[in-house]
Amino acid sequence: MDLDWSYFWSLFSMGVFWRACVTVVQLGSLAWTLGLVLGFFLACARISTTRWIRALAGVYIWLFRSVPLLVVVVFVFNLPQIFPASRGVIGEPFFAGLVAMVLTEAAYMAEIHRGGLLSVARGQREAGRALALGRFGAMRLIVVPQAFRIALPTLINEFVTIIKLTSLVSVISLPELLMTGLRLYSQNFLVMETLLGVAVYYVMLVTVFSTLLGWLEKRLDLQLRRPTTLDDAACASLRSRLGGPAAIRPVVAAPGQPAALELRNIHKAYGAHQVLKGVSLQVGAGQVISIIGPSGSGKTSLIRTINALEKIDQGEIILFGESHIHAHESLESSRVRKGIRRIGMAFQSFNLFPHLSVLDNVLLAPRYHGRPADAALRQTQAQKLLDKVGLLAHQHKYPHQLSGGQQQRVAIARALAMSPDVMLFDEPTSALDPELVGEVLKVIQDLAQEGMTMVIVTHEMDFALAISDRVLFMENGLIQLDAAPLRIQQPGATDATIQRVRRFMGLES
């Protein structure tokens, strides 16, 4: 049987089909948007630390992924027979179909979102915490933007699926494309021509929206953005307007002043493994303390307890004479977060925020905390810090467009942006190539000369001896030695601990 091509082409001039297209677009777009939002909250509940919240979200996702959409559509449409009060909302086929599709799609969206959220590195959340961002702030500014970019290709695919699934709502007589076609060929019996026309309409809709969403995906793809570097003339002009690099104003030690940082009998265990076994330490204002020791000795765990990245099981941490952290205390308390704002941290793996430019990385915490209140002054200070670490020309680049040494210097500038009283460095050069180590160490050395109080975990032995007021040697969860560099460097020591440290540092065989 030959197809009636004249009838087929006439389908594209029928107003009833174009009105049906509008219905499909409205229903699909609303279902996708509302499912996207509801699915996000379900995903957050699914990864919650509260067991009953995880369980409820899991049951919802399991149920609506198991029941066919067609069954849900029919059930929702007939729900007013059981609950007459719902007739005003879901008595209309459009709204009944929308509710059914949102309920079902939210379950699928939740798993897409969960995949995106779990793909954001843990270090990103820790970097946000080190900048004293609250949970909601870190989620809004750091986690969600990255998770959305990761999940976007799958979310776009889900939109295409939703557009096609709107055809199932025809079962409750909603005049969408399929129902319009069914009514038409039931009158003229031109089944193939009509269904072919319906298929073309769906192809057009999917193509248009796939193109638009694909454009959005490309716009958000940071890998496609070209690196922009300010030339020497632009840098010189900007530098003259800024008035030179930022000056650090550290807390100055004074007679009778309490220690900048004091750790009292700190214990920390991971399960049955004791990592810290009663560490006590005092760091005076303006002092530079380097912590060395073999891997697994507790160095990193110790430094992470200071800015509340790890809970302590026993002991107390005091900051400038004020209690900062107690054992078993909630690390979300306002007092702890207030203390965190006085502590800057540079991580071993940089933990820059990949979705933000270099300048926005430095600006994030000051903007969040409103320090200073004037936005123009915040930007000026951020640019001065980038000038201080030698990266003013790269302020508009993204982290992936920088070398490792440049990324670590940006991380240091980001930590300094909150004007901390204490700086922590966790193996700041261990992830760098040997030729890039020097540029990072130079920045740290400049901070030391300006009087910044610093605690540095490092494997750079020569650097530790050159820059430090005291060198701490940790082993088996305890500080085995706390000594001035000159004492360690003197050959012929009879003290067994110093001999052990000298062997570890390669000063003697």
Side-chain angles (χ1 to χ4, degrees):
M1 182 179 69
D2 294 332
L3 293 176
D4 188 340
W5 289 105
S6 60
Y7 166 74
F8 169 78
W9 292 114
S10 71
L11 296 176
F12 301 102
S13 60
M14 291 184 181
V16 65
F17 270 110
W18 290 108
R19 288 192 293 273
C21 282
V22 172
T23 300
V24 168
V25 170
Q26 290 176 333
L27 181 61
S29 299
L30 283 171
W32 186 77
T33 303
L34 296 175
L36 190 77
V37 175
L38 179 58
F40 175 76
F41 287 109
L42 280 170
C44 291
R46 194 78 175 86
I47 60 177
S48 169
T49 55
T50 306
R51 183 177 297 178
W52 68 268
I53 294 178
R54 286 201 313 272
L56 286 176
V59 169
Y60 180 98
I61 292 169
W62 162 78
L63 178 63
F64 282 97
R65 288 173 70 191
S66 302
V67 179
L69 175 60
L70 188 63
V71 174
V72 179
V73 169
V74 174
F75 179 83
V76 170
F77 185 63
N78 289 282
L79 200 60
Q81 297 179 22
I82 304 173
F83 301 105
S86 65
R87 188 177 302 278
V89 179
I90 55 178
E92 294 292 328
F94 181 88
F95 291 105
L98 177 61
V99 170
M101 292 190 71
V102 169
L103 289 174
T104 300
E105 284 303 318
Y108 291 95
M109 294 280 199
E111 292 300 278
I112 296 173
H113 281 306
R114 186 166 71 95
L117 292 170
L118 293 177
S119 296
V120 177
R122 179 186 175 187
Q124 294 289 294
R125 293 177 174 85
E126 292 183 344
R129 180 165 185 79
L131 295 171
L133 273 62
R135 285 184 178 178
F136 177 75
M139 182 68 74
R140 175 173 59 89
L141 297 173
I142 300 171
V143 177
V144 171
Q146 295 184 53
F148 181 74
R149 282 173 171 81
I150 294 169
L152 186 57
T154 313
L155 292 172
I156 292 174
N157 185 67
E158 194 65 20
F159 182 87
V160 172
T161 300
I162 289 173
I163 290 293
K164 293 187 293 184
L165 286 176
T166 56
S167 61
L168 295 179
V169 187
S170 62
V171 73
I172 55 175
S173 300
L174 179 70
E176 47 69 60
L177 280 171
L178 183 59
M179 174 56 68
T180 301
L182 289 174
R183 288 174 176 174
L184 195 58
Y185 75 62
S186 64
Q187 297 171 4
N188 57 30
F189 302 106
L190 296 173
V191 178
M192 294 299 296
E193 293 88 338
T194 305
L195 289 181
L196 183 59
V198 169
V200 171
Y201 272 107
Y202 275 114
V203 169
M204 288 191 299
L205 289 177
V206 169
T207 301
V208 169
F209 282 96
S210 294
T211 302
L212 291 174
L213 292 171
W215 173 83
L216 174 62
E217 182 182 352
K218 288 184 178 180
R219 288 280 296 174
L220 296 177
D221 189 350
L222 299 177
Q223 301 297 325
L224 298 179
R225 299 187 183 180
R226 293 182 178 180
T228 55
T229 307
L230 299 181
D231 58 31
D232 293 341
C235 275
S237 174
L238 180 56
R239 192 173 288 114
S240 65
R241 186 155 47 86
L242 295 173
I248 303 300
R249 296 179 177 83
V251 177
V252 180
Q257 183 185 32
L261 183 65
E262 183 177 358
L263 280 63
R264 296 179 179 174
N265 193 34
I266 302 300
H267 288 256
K268 172 66 183 176
Y270 299 104
H273 178 51
Q274 290 286 331
V275 181
L276 302 175
K277 304 174 183 178
V279 175
S280 295
L281 170 66
Q282 280 196 352
V283 181
Q287 283 192 330
V288 178
I289 307 296
S290 290
I291 304 177
I292 63 172
S295 298
S297 59
K299 306 184 301 297
T300 293
S301 294
L302 178 65
I303 204 171
R304 285 168 61 87
T305 63
I306 296 173
N307 66 343
L309 291 178
E310 299 284 356
K311 293 185 85 171
I312 56 176
D313 302 324
Q314 185 178 330
E316 182 181 11
I317 299 174
I318 299 170
L319 194 62
F320 292 94
E322 299 178 0
S323 180
H324 173 40
I325 298 173
H326 284 285
H328 307 298
E329 175 183 27
S330 170
L331 299 182
E332 298 299 325
S333 69
S334 59
R335 181 168 55 80
V336 172
R337 290 183 59 193
K338 180 181 177 182
I340 293 173
R341 284 199 293 269
R342 302 184 68 181
I343 302 171
M345 185 166 185
F347 294 85
Q348 177 179 354
S349 53
F350 323 136
N351 290 345
L352 294 179
F353 307 129
H355 62 294
L356 298 178
S357 68
V358 165
L359 181 60
D360 285 333
N361 262 276
V362 178
L363 276 171
L364 180 68
R367 187 181 289 144
Y368 177 84
H369 295 292
R371 295 174 56 183
D374 181 44
L377 183 56
R378 283 199 300 265
Q379 177 155 328
T380 297
Q381 291 182 349
Q383 289 173 321
K384 284 186 173 185
L385 283 169
L386 288 174
D387 192 20
K388 183 180 185 65
V389 299
L391 292 171
L392 183 61
H394 303 282
Q395 60 178 305
H396 299 306
K397 288 185 177 180
Y398 286 83
H400 73 274
Q401 296 168 337
L402 303 176
S403 69
Q406 290 173 328
Q407 290 187 56
Q408 188 62 284
R409 283 186 281 157
V410 173
I412 294 172
R414 182 181 65 181
L416 292 172
M418 286 297 292
S419 302
D421 297 319
V422 178
M423 277 292 294
L424 308 177
F425 294 88
D426 181 17
E427 299 281 9
T429 60
S430 65
L432 303 178
D433 294 332
E435 60 185 13
L436 300 176
V437 169
E439 60 189 40
V440 173
L441 297 183
K442 176 64 168 61
V443 173
I444 299 174
Q445 191 170 28
D446 290 344
L447 292 176
Q449 291 173 353
E450 293 180 55
M452 173 63 73
T453 305
M454 294 190 287
V455 180
I456 308 168
V457 172
T458 183
H459 279 109
E460 299 290 335
M461 301 305 165
D462 292 338
F463 177 73
L465 292 173
I467 196 177
S468 307
D469 296 297
R470 291 152 53 198
V471 175
L472 276 58
F473 178 76
M474 285 193 68
E475 195 167 30
N476 299 322
L478 291 168
I479 295 176
Q480 305 291 349
L481 178 70
D482 182 348
L486 285 176
R487 185 182 170 201
I488 297 173
Q489 288 174 301
Q490 289 177 349
T494 57
D495 186 292
T497 305
I498 291 184
Q499 290 177 350
R500 164 76 178 99
V501 174
R502 284 177 60 81
R503 286 195 300 272
F504 176 80
M505 300 182 79
L507 298 178
E508 63 180 48
S509 56

